[in-house]
Amino acid sequence: MTSPLWSRGTAYLLAVLAIAILPLIFTDSYWRTNLIVCALNVMLALGLDFVLGYAGQLNLGQSAFYGLSAYASTLLVTQLGVPFWAAFAGAVALAGLAGVVLSLFAMRLRGHYLAIASLGFAVITYQILLNWISLTQGPLGIYAVPPPPALALPGLPAIDFHDLGHLFYLVAGFALLSYLVLDQLIRSPIGETLAAIREDEVSATALGINCAAWKVFAFGVGSAIAGVAGGFYAGFVGTLTPDAFFITESFTILAMVVVGGMGTLIGPVAGAILLTVLPELLRGIGDLRLLVYGLAVTLVVLFMPGGIVQAARLVFPRRRAVKTS
């Protein structure tokens, strides 16, 4: 019988190989740009899935954490001259702290009440980014944002992140690391604790679980991962405007999680890739692509509520291990 540990190790190896090969296959800037967007969206979807799929907390504020980190890292670098990686770490910490603060205010809320509260947080954040012109430049935006500085390794040429292929390796590497960290968390007793809260918070409390503390933890981790994506966003695009973090971005991230399959980790990865690439593949049919895109998402939600993961399990059922005496 194949060891689960070996299976996970093989899967990670295949993921590393896929990341290494993709920029060699897609050599034009258009598709390399889309590869980087896929990696950013994977992190956003993973962060939301940890909160929604495992802790059962409907968070519609993911775009706010994404935007806060993007602006914080950019302003620290461009206005204060802070080194990129120090600014990046600070921005991720700020996004995580914002998630903790939001959860502290909303810890007594559940379901659509929590959704409304988190959506309100996203709206407030967007309005601050839009109207605090002296700090964020508002709708005018911040331009000429530099990418991460070149990485110099002993005995090797410097890795320049102006090259989209190199930048993809960096962002995708962090996406894979985010997956690895979350995978370890959910396979630990923490994952069982969060699942107990998701299934029945009253029973979890009766078992002695501090539900409030663990919900705060889930929000903090999920928003910090969104902050990792935000820390790379501005340097990748080169410009920063509030419209990139409008509340519709939160619904797009939610769609990625739902279409992929909540509470599975691999599902949101697949959903993020599909819903990033599909609109580009349909671009040739003009505005009709929006109809096809919306119809595809609707059909998945209606007839395959478990998303892509459920479909994969139907097509490729797991083989049951046969015990031998």
Side-chain angles (χ1 to χ4, degrees):
M1 183 176 64
T2 302
S3 164
L5 181 61
W6 185 88
S7 298
R8 291 202 302 277
T10 304
Y12 286 131
L13 178 60
L14 292 175
V16 170
L17 290 175
I19 290 171
I21 292 171
L22 282 172
L24 304 179
I25 298 174
F26 301 99
T27 56
D28 60 297
S29 60
Y30 175 77
W31 279 109
R32 283 187 171 184
T33 297
N34 281 296
L35 288 176
I36 296 172
V37 174
C38 280
L40 293 174
N41 285 339
V42 162
M43 285 188 278
L44 292 170
L46 284 173
L48 179 59
D49 187 50
F50 188 68
V51 178
L52 175 60
Y54 289 95
Q57 307 301 303
L58 182 52
N59 170 28
L60 295 179
Q62 198 75 335
S63 63
F65 309 124
Y66 186 32
L68 281 173
S69 176
Y71 270 91
S73 61
T74 300
L75 291 172
L76 286 171
V77 170
T78 59
Q79 300 298 321
L80 299 179
V82 177
F84 174 83
W85 290 110
F88 176 84
V92 172
L94 176 64
L97 180 62
V100 168
V101 171
L102 173 61
S103 63
L104 287 174
F105 280 105
M107 68 170 58
R108 296 184 180 275
L109 303 177
R110 295 200 67 186
H112 58 280
Y113 296 106
L114 177 59
I116 293 171
S118 58
L119 184 62
F121 176 74
V123 172
I124 292 170
T125 302
Y126 172 75
Q127 290 299 325
I128 291 173
L129 297 178
L130 184 66
N131 293 296
W132 196 350
I133 296 176
S134 62
L135 180 66
T136 68
Q137 304 301 315
L140 299 176
I142 302 173
Y143 292 88
V145 181
L151 181 62
L153 298 176
L156 295 174
I159 302 173
D160 185 5
F161 293 114
H162 285 88
D163 184 306
L164 291 177
H166 295 162
L167 185 58
F168 168 72
Y169 287 138
L170 178 65
V171 179
F174 270 85
L176 182 59
L177 179 62
S178 300
Y179 186 100
L180 225 165
V181 169
L182 292 181
D183 186 46
Q184 293 303 309
L185 284 176
I186 64 173
R187 291 179 184 279
S188 72
I190 293 174
E192 297 176 358
T193 301
L194 293 177
I197 296 172
R198 178 192 63 201
E199 297 301 326
D200 191 337
E201 191 170 328
V202 175
S203 297
T205 302
L207 291 172
I209 295 174
N210 188 337
C211 295
W214 284 110
K215 286 193 284 186
V216 169
F217 170 79
F219 262 92
V221 172
S223 56
I225 291 176
V228 174
F232 288 122
Y233 174 81
F236 156 56
V237 176
T239 60
L240 197 56
T241 60
D243 287 346
F245 312 106
F246 191 55
I247 54 175
T248 52
E249 181 70 15
S250 288
F251 290 104
T252 302
I253 300 166
L254 177 62
M256 293 172 182
V257 174
V258 172
V259 168
M262 289 189 296
T264 60
L265 281 190
I266 191 62
V269 172
I273 294 172
L274 176 65
L275 296 190
T276 302
V277 173
L278 185 60
E280 300 304 322
L281 295 177
L282 297 175
R283 193 170 291 278
I285 62 176
D287 290 341
L288 187 60
R289 76 183 189 279
L290 301 176
L291 177 62
V292 176
Y293 176 88
L295 183 63
V297 173
T298 303
L299 289 175
V300 168
V301 173
L302 287 177
F303 299 105
M304 199 68 64
I308 295 171
V309 170
Q310 182 184 352
R313 286 172 178 168
L314 290 174
V315 177
F316 305 105
R318 292 183 177 181
R319 295 180 180 177
R320 294 183 178 178
V322 179
K323 295 183 179 180
T324 56
S325 57

